[in-house]
Amino acid sequence: MRLLEFEAKEIFRRYGIPVPMGRVIAHPSEADEASSELGDEVVLKAQVDVGGRGKGGGILFSKRERVSEAAKELFGRSIRGVEVKSILVEERLEIAQELYLGITIDRSSREVLLLFSREGGVDIEALAAERSDAIRRLHIPPILREMPPFAIRELTGGKPKGVGEIVSSLYRLFREKDAILAEINPLVITPKGLFAADAKIIVDDNALSRQGIQMNRALTPREQEAERHGFSYVELEGSIGVIGNGAGLTMATLDLIAQSGGKAANFLDVGGGADRERVMHAVRLIAGMPSVKVILVNLLGGITRCDEVAHGILEANVPQRIFVRLAGTNEEEGKRILAVKDYTMFETMEEAVKAAVEAAS
Ligand code: GDP
Ligand code: MN
């Protein structure tokens, strides 16, 4: 789960990473008081869980005497479709240069990956695509509790002064908070020293209870239903509904869809031993998404029996075309059951994905 900027900055502060002075408000009437100690120029930052917030109109600069009007204006906006419910009012920093510092997990090498760039402030993925050499990368084994000084120097080249302490604090925080991403973009150089002008922390969803964090976002009705049925379910942007069993197989299905030029509408893992009832609910849940044009069911029978799955698909009786790949226990029986209607059956995952992607485009 991604923390809001002010929550992440609160954690930064506890770890000794310098952040601008500021306060969070929930209403324009609080803006005056909140900014009383901030100097003549202030920044208002919408606390919304979206990327590209600045470009989306989520940041306003204002004179302090006009802060109430600015707050009113920002509360009235929606940032990339998200309502503004709280605003962080901060001192305006005098920025000389913007840097980038990020820590994440490299799943392919199973190591911690640190990224540093002297060209921060911009979209780091775009920078990586266009000018990859502008980003310095360092892999370190995840067992290290502290960043060794030589590794910090390798990452940053020792400049600017003070950056080493920030790298080492961010690394400690990354580990202790069970983060999968800790990012400062931009980390800014000002006449008063280095500051984290922005803060992004994504905590591993599996560690939320250990971290004592509650989901800061209400579940959508569909997410609530998925939770009731015990499905692992995530909504995405595409038009191909996906149902799989097992996280690995379902992820592999999503990867294959992306490689084939398609876009998945969701991730849904029905779990082990899915009976007809569960499969029916899963298919109906996915079919209920307005964005879903076709549905791809990719199930491996083991504990799960293909005939049960087939009955579930049939009973769901949804309008979208369903592309099915069933393999394993009672496979032939499953195929026979589905042969009554024009479901499209496939022997391999590759063929099923290819057909679904074509049908959806
Ligand atoms: P994001 O769009 O959500 O990533 O928002 P950021 O907090 O990263 O801000 C986007 C940009 O606004 C930064 O890269 C800065 O150029 C600018 N900005 C943010 N805070 C300040 C500030 O206090 N002073 C100045 N001068 N610029 C700021
Ligand atoms: Mn930013």
Side-chain angles (χ1 to χ4, degrees):
M1 187 184 75
R2 177 176 170 177
L3 304 184
L4 292 173
E5 179 190 12
F6 79 92
E7 297 168 320
K9 280 182 168 166
E10 188 49 51
I11 295 174
F12 279 12
R13 192 175 290 125
R14 274 186 262 137
Y15 277 80
I17 298 172
V19 295
M21 276 197 296
R23 266 167 61 185
V24 187
I25 61 171
H27 193 268
S29 63
E30 299 162 22
D32 235 353
E33 230 241 274
S35 59
S36 60
E37 284 165 16
L38 296 184
D40 291 336
E41 305 273 345
V42 295
V43 188
L44 294 94
K45 309 178 87 177
Q47 297 302 287
V48 286
D49 180 10
V50 298
R53 170 189 55 176
K55 282 195 194 128
I59 298 178
L60 287 180
F61 298 98
S62 167
K63 293 254 177 229
R64 198 183 54 210
E65 64 245 31
R66 292 202 63 252
V67 71
S68 295
E69 287 118 272
K72 207 175 203 169
E73 154 140 36
L74 192 52
F75 272 117
R77 287 186 186 172
S78 91
I79 312 304
R80 300 191 191 271
V82 179
E83 245 184 282
V84 179
K85 294 209 176 107
S86 57
I87 291 175
L88 177 59
V89 184
E90 284 187 336
E91 65 177 319
R92 180 157 178 181
L93 300 169
E94 208 181 302
I95 298 178
Q97 197 186 339
E98 304 195 352
L99 315 172
Y100 174 94
L101 175 63
I103 307 181
T104 186
I105 294 168
D106 181 346
R107 294 195 191 276
S108 54
S109 71
R110 301 185 178 189
E111 289 181 306
V112 176
L113 172 62
L114 290 99
L115 301 162
F116 178 75
S117 175
R118 295 186 200 290
E119 299 175 36
V122 294
D123 174 6
I124 195 69
E125 266 127 30
L127 184 64
E130 286 155 27
R131 303 210 28 246
S132 182
D133 58 318
I135 303 171
R136 298 169 76 123
R137 296 173 177 79
L138 181 73
H139 283 90
I140 65 167
I143 49 162
L144 290 182
R145 282 174 183 278
E146 301 281 341
M147 280 287 287
F150 76 85
I152 296 178
R153 232 173 299 118
E154 194 172 316
L155 179 71
T156 64
K159 279 184 295 185
K161 198 167 160 287
V163 76
E165 281 83 358
I166 294 177
V167 174
S168 115
S169 300
L170 193 69
Y171 179 73
R172 251 192 321 120
L173 171 167
F174 175 83
R175 280 183 54 104
E176 291 174 8
K177 295 295 167 190
D178 291 313
I180 54 173
L181 177 77
E183 184 183 77
I184 311 179
N185 189 25
L187 170 65
V188 298
I189 304 179
T190 79
K192 291 194 275 178
L194 288 171
F195 285 91
D198 194 6
K200 183 167 172 182
I201 298 176
I202 301 178
V203 177
D204 186 342
D205 282 343
N206 296 309
L208 292 181
S209 69
R210 173 158 80 188
Q211 291 293 343
I213 299 172
Q214 291 195 333
M215 276 283 181
N216 63 5
R217 170 176 80 78
L219 298 179
T220 66
R222 240 185 301 280
E223 286 169 331
Q224 288 174 24
E225 197 189 328
E227 198 167 271
R228 270 199 302 281
H229 293 297
F231 300 148
S232 303
Y233 173 70
V234 180
E235 289 179 7
L236 306 166
E237 318 270 80
S239 60
I240 304 173
V242 178
I243 297 172
N245 62 342
L249 181 69
T250 314
M251 282 303 285
T253 311
L254 293 195
D255 285 346
L256 205 55
I257 289 175
Q259 277 169 28
S260 313
K263 284 199 166 139
N266 70 286
F267 172 100
L268 192 155
D269 167 14
V270 283
D275 58 12
R276 69 171 78 183
E277 187 89 342
R278 284 175 70 72
V279 171
M280 181 193 78
H281 284 303
V283 173
R284 287 196 179 154
L285 183 81
I286 298 307
M289 295 175 79
S291 54
V292 167
K293 286 198 207 151
V294 301
I295 296 174
L296 175 63
V297 178
N298 184 14
L299 296 173
L300 268 183
I303 310 171
T304 302
R305 286 170 35 198
C306 293
D307 53 327
E308 280 287 306
V309 170
H311 279 299
I313 293 172
L314 211 56
E315 281 164 25
N317 192 25
V318 298
Q320 289 96 333
R321 268 183 80 185
I322 304 186
F323 297 80
V324 188
R325 183 260 182 151
L326 280 179
T329 314
N330 295 354
E331 180 178 328
E332 291 314 314
E333 174 74 2
K335 287 177 181 164
R336 202 181 51 72
I337 294 164
L338 284 179
V340 300
K341 230 177 136 191
D342 58 342
Y343 293 101
T344 325
M345 305 287 300
F346 297 89
E347 291 299 321
T348 69
M349 172 162 154
E350 286 73 14
E351 291 166 305
V353 165
K354 188 163 169 277
V357 169
E358 270 167 24
S361 68

